[in-house]
Amino acid sequence: MKKNKSYFASGCFWGTEYHFMKAPGVTATAAGFMGGHVDAPAYREVRTGATGHLECVEVEYDTALTTYGNLVRLFFETHDFTQTDGQGPDIGSQYLSCLFYGNEDERDTAGQYVRLLESRGYRVATKLLPASAFWKAEDSHQQYYENRGTEPYCHVYRKIF
């Protein structure tokens, strides 16, 4: 079994993680932060928007069971990738839509999906940025909805591909 890790920011990491942890081929997830200028930030710092981080989910998956492309489709189908100021009611730079790519293949795949959506008339606000240090959030943020037996209010699946 060959595993890979990829990183997705689509607003509140609780809802993002909820959908990815249920996806076929995903073996582990972690809520955390990426893209900022502070080492090992705490949630209380990131939520102010001052650290430059985005709430992000690390997704580990078995490459024999799913592909990066499948995960990118799920990413786009579970948030409003056209919103420029956050996600739903969560407004701020820490809630922006971003695909953090780990290599050229991921960058190219992400770019192909962005172009496909644009060709369908969507104004895609999702950023494509190289992956940087991933900082895992505090334990209270891990598998948030799963641990509470509830479902996200800010991330709803809608088929678009």
Side-chain angles (χ1 to χ4, degrees):
M1 170 173 38
K2 182 175 183 253
K3 292 184 181 180
N4 196 16
K5 288 183 182 179
S6 296
Y7 301 89
F8 302 90
S10 59
C12 174
F13 51 27
W14 297 338
T16 305
E17 184 181 38
Y18 174 86
H19 286 285
F20 277 109
M21 65 189 293
K22 296 178 179 323
V26 171
T27 57
T29 59
F33 316 106
M34 188 173 277
H37 57 271
V38 174
D39 287 349
Y43 177 74
R44 69 180 184 286
E45 298 169 305
V46 173
R47 64 182 267 189
T48 69
T51 68
H53 291 89
L54 277 72
E55 289 195 11
C56 178
V57 174
E58 178 181 75
V59 177
E60 181 182 272
Y61 61 98
D62 182 339
T63 60
L65 300 175
T66 194
T67 66
Y68 181 70
N70 288 339
L71 300 176
V72 170
R73 284 192 295 277
L74 180 62
F75 166 81
F76 281 119
E77 292 180 331
T78 55
H79 80 290
D80 180 1
F81 53 85
T82 68
Q83 188 173 345
T84 59
D85 59 352
Q87 276 301 298
D90 296 324
I91 304 302
S93 60
Q94 68 274 31
Y95 301 116
L96 298 179
S97 174
C98 184
L99 286 164
F100 289 102
Y101 58 86
N103 56 50
E104 288 182 21
D105 288 340
E106 286 185 357
R107 182 196 64 208
D108 293 346
T109 298
Q112 289 170 356
Y113 279 98
V114 167
R115 289 187 297 280
L116 175 61
L117 290 167
E118 290 172 341
S119 75
R120 294 180 177 182
Y122 291 102
R123 294 187 65 195
V124 178
T126 303
K127 298 176 184 289
L128 303 181
L129 296 173
S132 56
F134 175 77
W135 304 100
K136 189 174 177 183
E138 296 87 345
D139 288 345
S140 62
H141 297 288
Q142 305 305 319
Q143 292 81 45
Y144 183 86
Y145 287 111
E146 186 76 13
N147 289 331
R148 282 155 187 77
T150 59
E151 294 184 6
Y153 65 91
C154 54
H155 288 80
V156 176
Y157 178 82
R158 67 190 182 342
K159 184 157 181 60
I160 57 175
F161 294 105

